Amino acid sequence: MGLTSLNQQLLSKIATNDEHGENSPYFDGWKAYDNDPFHLTKNPNGVIQMGLAENQLCFDLIKEWIEKNPTASICTTEGSMAFKDIANFQDYHGLPEFRNAVAKFMGRVRGGRVKFDPNKIVMSGGATGANETIMFCLADPGDAFLVPSPYYPAFVRDLRWRTGVQIIPVTCESSNNFQITIEALEEAYNKTIEANVRVKGLIITNPSNPLGTILDKDTLKSLVNFINERNIHLVCDEIYAATIFRPPHFTSISEAIQDMDSNDDLIHIVYSLSKDMGFPGFRVGIFYSYNDEVVSCARKMSSFGLVSSQTQYLLAAMLSDDDFVERFLDESSRRLECRHKIFTEGLKEVKC
Amino acid sequence: MGLTSLNQQLLSKIATNDEHGENSPYFDGWKAYDNDPFHLTKNPNGVIQMGLAENQLCFDLIKEWIEKNPTASICTTEGSMAFKDIANFQDYHGLPEFRNAVAKFMGRVRGGRVKFDPNKIVMSGGATGANETIMFCLADPGDAFLVPSPYYPAFVRDLRWRTGVQIIPVTCESSNNFQITIEALEEAYNKTIEANVRVKGLIITNPSNPLGTILDKDTLKSLVNFINERNIHLVCDEIYAATIFRPPHFTSISEAIQDMDSNDDLIHIVYSLSKDMGFPGFRVGIFYSYNDEVVSCARKMSSFGLVSSQTQYLLAAMLSDDDFVERFLDESSRRLECRHKIFTEGLKEVKC
C-alpha cells in the first residue's frame, strides 16, 4: 500500500481530493507570478499578475480619513477606551452599528435606489466564506447549482469543496457577448434533471467576474422568473457593485425584484468589502438573504468566520460617514476609468 | 404538505436539522441570561451568566501597551503608512510576523519547555473554525471522534454540524474526579467499531472545559500510546493553556511527545487568543499540526475564516513584545487566583 492510499485512509476525502481547485491553470498563473514577478527595471521579462483584482487606487483618501478619525480606532489614546469592550465582543449577530453601516453602504453603492435591512445582514469570512455558507444553507451534497460560464475560478473551492455541491456550467458564447440566455439555462437545467441530479438554484456574478459586464434589468427579471417557475434559488454575487466607471449603471437584483411578482424567499446576495473598498485583508464578506429562515441559519454558521470586532468597529465608523463614502466612491470610479484607459491603450502596443 | 416539509425541500438538511446545538440546555441558559440579566441593585433576582468564559482581568495592561505602541496600529498618524499594504493583504499563509509571534507566544504560554514552528501555524476564525477545519481534514461524514465527557457544549456545532462527523462521548465518572481512563476509552472505541462506525480519533480539552482540571504527563503519554496503537488522531484543544493560576503546571501535548516514540503525524493542537488573552472578538483561532499534509490542506481551508490582517498586524507587534507578554501572563494568573478565591468564597454563602 503506497503512502497516498495510507494517507487517504488517515485523512478525509476532502483533504485528499483536488476540489480545492488549486491544481488548475488559474493557480498555475499565480504560482508563475510568485516565482518570477515582473519588475520594470529589475525583471522586465517577469510575469505580470493579471489574475488578482486589487483596488489600491484610493488608499490616500482612506489614510486621510483614519488620521482624522482617531476615535474609530481602538488603538489610539482617543480610541483605546473602547478596546476592552470591542476585543471581548463576540456576538455572532455583529456590532449593531456595523450592520447598520454595511446596510447603508450597500444601498449607496447600488445607487440609493434600494434599501437594505440591517437585520438581514450576516457576516462571513470574506466572500469566500459567504459563498460557502449559502451552499451549506441551501443545498445537500450532490445537489447542483447552475453557474453561467466563464466564472470566477475559485468558485470550485468556495461552492463545492467542503459542501459536496455540484457546479453545472451554463455555456455562454462569445458570439453573443457571453449573454446569459433562458435557452442556455433551460438546456443546462433539463440535462441536469435528466441525469437525476437535483438543481437547487442559479448563481450569477453581476458585475461579472471575469467579463466585467453587467446585467440589465430585463435580463435580471427574466432570471427571477426562471427561478420562480422552478422554485429554485437565485444567488447574486455583487461584490463588484461599485467597481463601475462608465454607463450603463449597475442594477442590483434587489432593484429588479422591487416592482415584480417574485417569491423573495428564493433571493440571496453575496457582498464584500474586498473589491469595492479594496480591503481583502479585512475579510469582510456579507451574506444578505430575503429569506428569514436562511438568515437565521447563516447567522449560526457565521461563528465559523466572523469578522474581527476590531475591523467591524473601524468600518462601522468609516462607512457611516456619508461625505467620505460619497467622495470615495466618486473618486474611485474616476480613477478606475483613468487606469482602464492607460491599461487598454498599453495593451494595444503589445506585440504578439 | 406543511411549511416545514416544504422548507426542508427548499433548504438543506444542515439548515433544517438541529445539529447546531442551539436547542439545548446550554443555550437555554444563555437566552435566560439575555432576557433577564442580573444586576446588583437594578435586578438582584436576575440570571447570572456562568456559561461564558470572558477574561477581562488585564485589559488595563493591554490598554497601556497599545497607547505606548501607536505604530502597531494602522489607524494612527504613526501607523497609517501601513494601512494600504495591510488592508489589501490577503495571503492565506498569514503575515509572517504574525505566525512568528503566535508560535513564540504558544511556546511561552507552555512554560518555554517546547518550541513551535511558525510554518505549522494555520489561522482560522476562532477556535470554532479551527475545530471544524480539523474535522474536515481528518474525517469523512459518518466517521467518529471519541470525546471524554463532560465536554464543551458547542462541540456539537463545531465538530458535527457541517462536517457530518459523529461525537462518541467517553463516559468519565465523578467518582474518580472525571479522569480519562484507558478502560473507558477502550470501551467507547470497541463499541463504536462494533457498530460499524469508523473511529478517526480522540479529542481532549486540556485544561478541561468545563472541569478546569489539567492532564498530567503520564496520562497524556498513555493517550498518545492509545491513539498510536490504533493509528487514529489525537486532537488537543489547549485554548486555556495560560488560564492557570496555581500548581500543578500545565503540560502541553507538545511537551509530552518530546521524549517518547510516537507518530507525530497523528497529533494536532487547537489554540486561540480568545481565552488566554481575552480577545474573543478578534477571532484568532490557531490550528497547529505536526502533519505537513494536514497543514497544507488546512491552510487552503483557512480561506473560509482568515483573521483580519488589521488584527494580525496589531497582535504580531503585541505578542512579539517579550516584556509585555511576561508581565501580562504573570499578572493574569495572579488576578485569576484572586478572582477565583472571591468567587468560591461567595458561593459558600449561597443558601440553597
Side-chain angles (χ1 to χ4, degrees), chain A residues 95-316:
Chain A
L95 291 172
E97 50 271 43
F98 173 73
R99 280 192 287 127
N100 290 340
V102 168
K104 199 171 159 192
F105 182 73
M106 284 177 70
R108 170 64 189 81
V109 157
R110 283 149 190 84
R113 295 179 297 276
V114 278
K115 281 207 169 174
F116 292 92
D117 178 355
N119 293 321
K120 294 180 185 295
I121 298 235
V122 182
M123 291 179 283
S124 69
T128 304
N131 282 322
E132 188 189 51
T133 300
I134 211 154
M135 288 300 103
F136 271 123
C137 288
L138 303 183
D140 295 315
D143 288 351
F145 268 77
L146 308 178
V147 184
S149 67
Y151 55 78
Y152 169 53
F155 269 168
V156 171
R157 173 195 62 199
D158 300 1
L159 306 172
R160 298 196 320 187
W161 190 25
R162 304 198 304 187
T163 64
V165 167
Q166 296 186 60
I167 293 176
I168 307 292
V170 178
T171 310
C172 300
E173 309 279 356
S174 59
S175 58
N176 76 345
N177 206 20
F178 296 104
Q179 279 182 57
I180 307 168
T181 65
I182 296 298
E183 293 70 31
L185 285 173
E186 276 176 345
E187 192 187 331
Y189 181 86
N190 292 335
K191 267 193 186 167
T192 311
I193 296 289
E194 278 160 27
N196 254 330
V197 173
R198 193 166 164 190
V199 178
K200 288 305 285 281
L202 165 66
I203 297 172
I204 55 170
T205 60
N206 181 35
S208 165
N209 174 4
L211 295 170
T213 52
I214 56 176
L215 296 171
D216 61 41
K217 206 175 195 173
D218 286 345
T219 303
L220 288 170
K221 288 188 171 192
S222 72
L223 299 180
V224 172
N225 286 330
F226 175 85
I227 62 107
N228 265 286
E229 284 159 14
R230 287 157 186 82
N231 198 36
I232 61 175
H233 298 276
L234 179 60
V235 178
C236 302
D237 175 346
E238 299 189 349
I239 68 169
Y240 286 100
T243 308
I244 297 277
F245 54 89
R246 62 183 175 201
H249 77 70
F250 166 69
T251 305
S252 167
I253 194 69
S254 53
E255 190 180 347
I257 57 174
Q258 277 188 145
D259 58 354
M260 68 185 290
D261 190 25
S262 154
N263 174 8
D264 292 350
D265 276 352
L266 299 171
I267 311 283
H268 322 275
I269 298 173
V270 169
Y271 190 52
S272 156
L273 299 183
S274 299
K275 305 302 182 185
D276 286 347
M277 291 296 293
F279 297 160
F282 286 0
R283 312 311 299 155
V284 182
I286 300 299
F287 175 106
Y288 188 93
S289 177
Y290 290 88
N291 185 324
D292 290 337
E293 202 174 340
V294 172
V295 168
S296 164
C297 174
R299 200 160 273 173
K300 291 185 185 85
M301 280 189 194
S302 71
S303 291
F304 298 110
L306 294 168
V307 179
S308 167
S309 50
Q310 182 193 14
T311 297
Q312 287 185 54
Y313 191 78
L314 174 70
L315 295 177

Side-chain angles (χ1 to χ4, degrees), chain B residues 48-350:
Chain B
I48 297 176
Q49 166 61 289
M50 288 172 68
L52 176 65
E54 271 192 332
N55 185 353
Q56 307 187 354
L57 294 175
C58 289
F59 273 105
D60 55 330
L61 304 188
I62 294 167
K63 186 168 172 293
E64 192 186 307
W65 186 89
I66 58 173
E67 286 175 1
K68 278 189 190 157
N69 292 273
T71 52
S73 163
I74 54 176
C75 301
T76 64
T77 309
E78 293 90 336
S80 69
M81 289 303 292
F83 193 94
K84 179 177 167 178
D85 283 343
I86 295 303
N88 235 299
F89 186 85
Q90 59 166 339
D91 188 328
Y92 63 26
H93 298 278
L95 290 173
E97 50 271 42
F98 174 72
R99 278 192 288 127
N100 290 339
V102 169
K104 200 171 156 190
F105 182 73
M106 283 177 70
R108 169 65 189 83
V109 157
R110 283 150 189 83
R113 294 179 297 276
V114 277
K115 280 205 167 174
F116 292 92
D117 178 356
N119 293 320
K120 294 180 185 296
I121 298 234
V122 182
M123 291 179 283
S124 69
T128 304
N131 281 324
E132 188 190 50
T133 299
I134 211 155
M135 288 299 104
F136 271 123
C137 288
L138 304 184
D140 296 315
D143 288 350
F145 268 77
L146 308 179
V147 185
S149 67
Y151 54 79
Y152 169 55
F155 269 166
V156 172
R157 172 196 62 199
D158 300 1
L159 307 173
R160 297 195 321 188
W161 190 25
R162 305 199 304 186
T163 64
V165 167
Q166 295 186 61
I167 292 176
I168 307 293
V170 178
T171 311
C172 300
E173 309 280 357
S174 59
S175 57
N176 76 345
N177 207 19
F178 296 105
Q179 279 182 58
I180 307 168
T181 64
I182 296 297
E183 293 69 34
L185 285 173
E186 275 175 348
E187 192 187 333
Y189 181 86
N190 292 335
K191 267 193 186 166
T192 311
I193 296 288
E194 277 160 28
N196 252 333
V197 173
R198 194 166 162 192
V199 178
K200 288 306 285 282
L202 166 65
I203 298 173
I204 55 171
T205 60
N206 181 35
S208 165
N209 175 3
L211 296 171
T213 50
I214 56 176
L215 296 171
D216 60 41
K217 206 174 196 177
D218 285 344
T219 303
L220 287 171
K221 288 189 174 195
S222 72
L223 299 179
V224 173
N225 286 330
F226 176 84
I227 61 106
N228 266 285
E229 282 159 16
R230 288 155 186 83
N231 198 37
I232 61 176
H233 298 277
L234 179 60
V235 177
C236 302
D237 176 344
E238 299 189 348
I239 69 169
Y240 286 101
T243 309
I244 297 277
F245 55 89
R246 62 182 173 200
H249 76 69
F250 165 68
T251 305
S252 167
I253 195 69
S254 54
E255 191 181 345
I257 57 174
Q258 276 188 145
D259 59 353
M260 68 184 290
D261 191 27
S262 154
N263 175 8
D264 292 352
D265 276 353
L266 299 171
I267 312 284
H268 321 276
I269 299 172
V270 168
Y271 191 51
S272 156
L273 298 183
S274 298
K275 305 303 181 184
D276 286 347
M277 290 296 293
F279 297 160
F282 286 179
R283 310 312 299 153
V284 182
I286 300 298
F287 175 106
Y288 187 93
S289 177
Y290 289 89
N291 185 324
D292 290 337
E293 204 174 339
V294 172
V295 168
S296 165
C297 174
R299 202 160 272 171
K300 292 186 184 87
M301 280 187 193
S302 70
S303 291
F304 297 110
L306 294 168
V307 179
S308 168
S309 50
Q310 182 193 14
T311 297
Q312 286 184 55
Y313 190 78
L314 174 70
L315 294 178
M318 192 184 289
L319 300 183
S320 300
D321 184 337
D322 291 336
D323 291 342
F324 167 74
V325 168
E326 192 76 22
R327 190 167 154 241
F328 178 89
L329 292 175
D330 288 352
E331 192 60 31
S332 177
S333 283
R334 229 187 319 272
R335 293 186 192 179
L336 273 169
E337 182 166 21
C338 176
R339 180 70 66 103
H340 179 265
K341 197 177 163 195
I342 294 167
F343 184 75
T344 48
E345 284 180 0
L347 276 183
K348 285 179 198 159
E349 289 171 30
V350 175

